[in-house]
Amino acid sequence: KAPMPGTILKVSVNSGDAVKKGQVLLILEAMKMENEIVAPSDGKVASVNVSKGTSVNVGDLLVSLN
């Protein structure tokens, strides 16, 4: 989920990708800073709910993992 409001600059994963804990999933620009949103645990990407340029608010679902 989005930790703060901002804009998605880059999405680094696709549905079905295997990810490791700490791997960068996407870049969120907030308050003129680029924030890396990382995987909280190992898993597989179930869905990517945003794309480059999407504006998000706090709590918006960005990526879901299995």
Side-chain angles (χ1 to χ4, degrees), residues 2-24:
M4 61 193 82
T7 303
I8 304 300
L9 291 183
K10 179 181 178 187
V11 178
S12 302
V13 294
N14 295 302
S15 292
D17 290 355
V19 295
K20 297 284 185 193
K21 181 177 182 176
Q23 180 177 336
V24 176

Side-chain angles (χ1 to χ4, degrees), residues 5 30 36 39 64:
E36 293 182 337
S64 58

Side-chain angles (χ1 to χ4, degrees), residues 12-44:
S12 302
V13 294
N14 295 302
S15 292
D17 290 355
V19 295
K20 297 284 185 193
K21 181 177 182 176
Q23 180 177 336
V24 176
L25 302 176
L26 50 88
I27 305 291
L28 172 67
E29 180 186 38
M31 297 178 287
K32 308 253 187 221
M33 292 175 38
E34 293 183 9
N35 302 281
E36 293 182 337
I37 306 301
V38 299
S41 61
D42 292 356
K44 189 174 186 181

